[in-house]
Amino acid sequence: MRTARDAPSSAMLKLIRRYANSLPAQVGRLALAGVRPALAALLARTGITAQLGDSAVVPTEPALLAPLDRAAEEARQWIATR
């Protein structure tokens, strides 16, 4: 079975959800950096964005490492509040 190029399989979405569920017990958080619009929409439709938090899904940007830098800054801010 084929999936759309920018859409992960349902198994991958379940893995992301399961991994994200395991992190609070370890005082951790999952962030996804460089997320394309189609994937962002899918993550929102499936409730994963709500589970992770809006700031944990960082969209793609023209500058290659900009999403990673933004995700790292969000992570530093999240850690500071703990």
Side-chain angles (χ1 to χ4, degrees):
M1 180 167 135
R2 287 192 163 166
T3 60
R5 189 179 124 209
D6 287 342
S9 67
S10 62
M12 179 56 83
L13 293 172
K14 288 177 187 175
L15 176 67
I16 291 170
R17 185 180 303 279
R18 192 169 51 242
Y19 184 64
N21 282 337
S22 73
L23 291 174
Q26 302 169 43
V27 192
R29 183 175 180 212
L30 176 64
L32 303 173
V35 177
R36 292 182 180 174
L39 178 55
L42 180 62
L43 294 172
R45 272 195 320 274
T46 58
I48 292 174
T49 299
Q51 178 184 4
L52 298 177
D54 288 333
S55 65
V57 179
V58 181
T60 189
E61 296 181 26
L64 182 62
L65 297 178
L68 184 58
D69 291 339
R70 191 166 146 207
E73 180 57 33
E74 292 285 344
R76 282 189 284 277
Q77 291 175 15
W78 182 81
I79 290 168
T81 65
R82 299 294 174 255

